Amino acid sequence: MSRNIGSTGGHGRTVGKLCLMVCGMFAFGFALVPLYDMFCEVTGLGGRTGDQYAYDPASMQKDSSRLVKVNFVTNTNDGMAWEFWAESGGVRVHPGEVKEVKFYVRNPTKQRMVGQAIPSVVPGRAAQYFHKTECFCFNNQVLEPGETLEMPMRFIVDPDLPKNVPTVSLSYALFDITEMAAGNMKSRAEG
Amino acid sequence: MSEVVVAHHDDHHDHGPDKGLARWLFTTNHKDIGTLYLWFSFTMFLIGGVMALIIRTELFQPGLQFIDPAFFNQMTTNHGLIMVFGAIMPAFVGLANWLVPMMVGAPDMALPRMNNLSFWILPFAFAMLISTLFMEGGGPNFGWTFYAPLSTTYAPDTVTYFIFGVHLMGASSIMGSINIIATILNMRAPGMTLMKMPLFVWTWLITAYLLLAVMPVLAGAVTMMLFDIHFGTSFFNAAGGGDPVMFQHIFWFFGHPEVYIMILPAFGIVSQIIPTFARKPLFGYDSMVYATASIAFLSFIVWAHHMFTVGMPLAGQLFFMYSTMLIAVPTGVKVFNWTATMWRGSMTFETPMLFAIAFVILFTIGGFSGLMLAITPVDYQYHDTYFVVAHFHYVLVPGALFSIIAAVYYWLPKWCGRMYDESLGKLHFWLSFIGVNVTFFPQHFSGLAGMPRRIPDYALQFADFNMVSSIGAFIFGFSQVFFLYVLIKTIRSGEPATDRVWEGAHGLEWTLPSPAPYHSFTTPPNVTDAEAHS
Ligand code: HEM
Ligand SMILES: [Cu+2]
């Protein structure tokens, strides 16, 4: 008899290696989350914009030779009762110039609610050239019943924006995060 | 019985099976566990089949007549989950249990106790999944692909049972795969080198690695869902900074290799059966091995062909389109080799061969519709229509399922020592062949014409195609009940089978008596050129 029947003897090394592989792939599944974020930032997939933009005003060159059209789109996510609008549907800016636009929300309900706006830029490859120096989307908003809030948003279009992108659209989706903010474990948006 | 059974030096287990229920509960015998897997998967196949017929009954005519849309969604979801995880995958594991040790000349699987565990958690997993259908709020209704946030924010409360069910199924598959790999790598009889192994063993070895690579990722995905639902994280919740599209990437990183997990063992089975009935060695054995390995590799880099319409940079669309099309090359090599094996062979058409030939033809049709779907611009039209449904049913039903049925007809005489009734087998084949085509071929047309999938009602112009499809589904469904009858009749009262069973069969399993003794190859067999690929 050359082999060991019915015991795990002799298979320990194989099983050990395979278990390592399983653990590695389980970890890889979670590693996909930061990897995906990095990938999105590099490629603009999903039109993600970055956090608050810190820059040196002296080094920012205004490119007066062209104008870029920036459109604003405001949406409320399904089940979100607030009114949400921008002071204008779009502006023309020179790359490198700081521009301020006002957004407004109103809570028409009888409850105190918390909202969170999530930005996204189209086309995706313009996302990394769209810098927000101030945005209501960096925080959430708490509105009392009937309250209206004016929210300034300041941005710069990077002078490196490719020349073949004449128009950039910035869209905000406003989510109701009242329950989440209340520390409710279940973030169910009933609707 | 033969001398291999009476292995006296081997005294730490019994020489025959225990009696009664205990035999099945505590068995560590690869043949018993194989049998358990196969009956389990057949049961799941019938349950999933009933769900399919409920779906087809509702779709027989336009309008809503039998079930409400919420229940319809639960039926499509559970049909998919049960067929994928409960019928096809366990059937292949069952075949591996029965066949791998006999094919490589091993006495049993490498880890017999774990083998018992990996089977017995499956009934619990599926009991948990199916029981949700009877709970308040209903069972999973978000599609077998369970895209977030449908499966998180908007899911019924029973989703937690679903998540644990998936965890258990994953654990079972992982343990099964470890066992299969350890058996193949460590327990081959002397002389059975890797490049002499039967193709069924080769394809399962590669499939087991695929399973180990992607089941943990699936486990990760459902774990993230669990956290989003119960612990306030936002992996997939846009409001909290997560991204639902990321769910689709993670899911399909698992999902595309998963579809190959369901087809590679089928390739192996067909590569065993065709040479037997063509009475010629398999054409291009080496290229079959390399083709299988390349398909497995490519399956990791094509996942986003399921997501062309969710938005992707142009470079990404081109990459996934071309890499997907590239898979057609090794797949084409295989189809070519099977055809070349039959070329000028002295062919006979017993039931396993009929199913194998139908596999080659109909799977190829599924491959072609896959190629059409791989073309990004046209996928914008085909995505989420019945054309996709037609595609994957062609690769899974006359593909994976036909190969399993072929395998059962082919090896059943070895397992139970009795021959099935050839004319009943052929009748089963023709009913299945007609049923499957009548069901799924018209779905290509309704899909191209724009009928969306997963919707309980449809526009009037699709009525004829759907009626034909539903008729085919009932033909197909009832012919599988007939299959059950053929099986029981064989096991109870079939004619005794010879040891070799098929005139043209080669391989170590055919050197054993029929039925195969409870313990086989306790002394390693002599691997001759006649019984192994050389
Ligand atoms: C030449 C080979 C193949 C190609 C090029 C191919 C391509 C594709 C593409 C592009 C899709 C996405 C369609 C869409 O949703 O718009 C798809 C879906 C699908 N394919 Fe394939 N495929 C191939 C082989 C297979 C095989 C062998 C299987 C399984 C055994 C399979 C199973 C599936 C399944 C289950 C889906 C649908 C998943 C879902 O959305 O529910 N395919 N295929
Ligand atoms: Cu795929």
Side-chain angles (χ1 to χ4, degrees), chain B residues 198-216:
Chain B
L199 264 167
F200 179 72
V201 180
W202 253 118
T203 51
W204 240 117
L205 179 64
I206 293 172
T207 303
Y209 275 108
L210 280 184
L211 277 164
L212 291 187
V214 299
M215 288 317 265

Side-chain angles (χ1 to χ4, degrees), chain B residues 144-145 252 256 259-260 262-263 305-306 308 324 327-328 331 363 367 370-371 373-374 379 382-384 388 391-392 395-396 453-454:
Chain B
W144 84 276
T145 50
W252 287 115
H256 187 82
V259 307
Y260 280 93
M262 293 189 282
I263 206 67
H305 64 214
H306 296 275
F308 284 137
T324 302
I327 297 200
T331 314
F363 172 79
L371 273 175
L373 291 166
D379 184 65
Y382 302 159
H383 182 62
D384 269 349
V388 178
H391 157 65
F392 68 73
V395 284
L396 286 171
R453 64 190 281 207
R454 292 172 170 165

Side-chain angles (χ1 to χ4, degrees), chain A residues 1-3 5-8 10-11 14-15 18-19 21-22 25-26 28-30 32-33 36 43 45 48 77-78 116 118 175 177 180 185-189, chain B residues 9 12 105-107 110-111 153-155 157 174 181 186-187 209 212-213 216-217 220 224 229-230 232 234 237-239 243 245-246 249 253 313 521-522 524:
Chain A
M1 266 289 293
S2 56
R3 285 158 311 173
I5 299 165
S7 83
T8 53
H11 301 300
T14 315
V15 174
L18 296 176
C19 287
M21 176 176 167
V22 170
M25 287 311 292
F26 188 67
F28 176 75
F30 283 88
L32 283 174
V33 178
Y36 178 76
T43 61
L45 183 74
R48 290 217 200 158
N77 191 50
D78 137 85
Q116 169 75 55
I118 303 287
F175 288 81
I177 61 160
M180 251 166 107
M185 287 306 175
K186 265 198 156 178
S187 60
R188 261 163 202 280
Chain B
H9 47 262
H12 53 269
L111 309 155
T153 313
Y154 303 100
D157 289 333
I174 288 172
I181 295 177
N186 300 343
M187 307 215 4
Y209 275 108
L212 291 187
V217 176
M224 290 180 213
I229 294 169
H230 293 291
S234 293
N237 184 353
D243 192 337
V245 175
M246 184 179 72
H249 281 289
F253 183 83
F521 295 135
T522 38

Side-chain angles (χ1 to χ4, degrees), chain B residues 239-370:
Chain B
D243 192 337
V245 175
M246 184 179 72
F247 177 88
Q248 300 187 20
H249 281 289
I250 299 179
F251 180 83
W252 287 115
F253 183 83
F254 148 80
H256 187 82
E258 166 67 21
V259 307
Y260 280 93
I261 285 165
M262 293 189 282
I263 206 67
L264 293 185
F267 290 167
I269 290 166
V270 170
S271 305
Q272 304 286 133
I273 292 177
I274 289 181
T276 298
F277 297 98
R279 292 171 181 74
K280 272 175 65 192
L282 183 69
F283 184 88
Y285 173 95
D286 294 19
S287 66
M288 283 298 208
V289 173
Y290 298 131
T292 311
S294 6
I295 292 176
F297 168 75
L298 288 173
S299 72
F300 285 105
I301 58 164
V302 299
W303 77 87
H305 64 214
H306 296 275
M307 320 170 40
F308 284 137
T309 57
V310 302
M312 213 189 294
L314 182 66
Q317 302 203 326
L318 288 171
F319 173 79
F320 287 111
M321 170 164 114
Y322 288 125
S323 58
T324 302
M325 292 181 159
L326 203 57
I327 297 200
V329 176
T331 314
V333 168
K334 288 185 167 284
V335 174
F336 179 88
N337 286 351
W338 292 320
T339 318
T341 307
M342 289 188 270
W343 178 253
R344 298 202 164 160
S346 22
M347 294 218 282
T348 50
F349 299 92
E350 287 86 345
T351 310
M353 183 63 161
L354 289 175
F355 275 102
I357 295 175
F359 171 97
V360 175
I361 298 167
L362 300 180
F363 172 79
T364 305
I365 294 181
F368 280 134
S369 56

Side-chain angles (χ1 to χ4, degrees), chain B residues 8 90 109 118 120 123 133 174 225 241 245 261 283 299 306 323 330 340 378 425 436 446 489 517:
Chain B
H8 286 294
M109 295 294 280
S118 52
W120 276 110
L133 289 174
I174 288 172
M225 280 169 55
V245 175
I261 285 165
F283 184 88
S299 72
H306 296 275
S323 58
V378 302
V436 93
S446 46
K489 185 167 158 14

